[in-house]
Amino acid sequence: MAIFLNILFLILGMVLLIKGADFFVSGASAVAKRFKIPSLFIGLTIVALGTSLPELSVSLAGAIKKNVDMSVGNIVGSNFMNLFLIFGISALIRPTQIKKTSKKLDFPFLIGITFLLLLFSVDTYINGANTNIITRTESIILIIVFLIYMMLSIFIAKKEHQLMFDAPPPENAENQKKAEKDLKIWQIVLFIILGLGAVVFGAECVSTTAQFLAKKIGMSDTLVGLTIVAIGTSLPELATSVIASVKGETELAVGNLIGSSIFNIALILGSVGLITPINVSSTILIDTLILFVFTTIFSVLCMAKKNISKWMGALFIFMYVAYLIFAIVRNYCF
């Protein structure tokens, strides 16, 4: 009976994720069009923060319960999924253009914040400590870096908004103006709230079901965090980014994934560290090192190209699958 109910919750969660993401992307896109805000900025802020709520709730709950292995594993696993699986799928659906602002700000910040996570996790190698601990001071540094990133993003968005305001209207300005008025303000707010609510609740249904099934087959807390919980809490990003790519809102998809990955480490892990110092196990340390190497490769490739082609999307998916196989084999064989 329990298994049957979990399957029902799984189906319900998937439906809510898909429909919720559809509403959420429509609402966020309407905000960008109505107020002439770049879609990339909307993706990096509103959408990224909204779709990161499941990671935030799961990680904070883990910290309160002193289960930091699952909290850190959730963040590391979510970033693997965001940057490689979801980004790869989005690129396979529609080649993704990389803006100059992302190359100058978002990808360097992504590399930097991942390096900070690795640096804060290697106390045994740097100062000879007995354990690797992310302290409250280091957590505050992560949050400060997040605030700096947000301020720079807002500054760049305002600059781009001014350029758009000063630019002459395009030939299809009338059509764009008409499209902007398709949704009224209250409709946009309703779309965003209902869409986000459905996405978060759907992710909770899927994540809870996945954890129940995972425990049945003997997975460790670390592996559950790196895989099942990470996949469950990343479903909002998956649903939102795929829907955005299908609708041609590739900037929204890119901003969502990069923004969520930065939020995961800087804001969410920083918040967890404020509640309780984070003890980084040797297993998580290895995964963090792999994440840093993979993130650097990912960011360099993205900064070197104007567009992320389908073959690059396939490469990113392969990298994720390779890591997933490694994590599963390590759990059962070592």
Side-chain angles (χ1 to χ4, degrees), residues 36-54:
K36 295 183 174 64
I37 302 172
S39 293
L40 178 65
F41 178 72
I42 293 294
L44 286 165
T45 54
I46 298 174
V47 178
L49 183 58
T51 56
S52 291
L53 287 178

Side-chain angles (χ1 to χ4, degrees), residues 84-98:
F84 302 102
L85 180 62
I86 303 176
F87 201 99
I89 292 173
S90 298
L92 286 179
I93 293 172
R94 191 184 298 269
T96 303
Q97 184 178 4
I98 303 297

Side-chain angles (χ1 to χ4, degrees), residues 141-160:
I141 293 173
L142 290 175
I143 293 175
I144 291 173
V145 171
F146 166 76
L147 294 175
I148 293 172
Y149 170 72
M150 288 301 299
M151 287 189 291
L152 289 174
S153 296
I154 293 171
F155 173 78
I156 291 174
K158 285 184 176 180
K159 187 176 180 180
E160 289 190 356

Side-chain angles (χ1 to χ4, degrees), residues 159 206 283:
K159 187 176 180 180
V206 174
T283 300

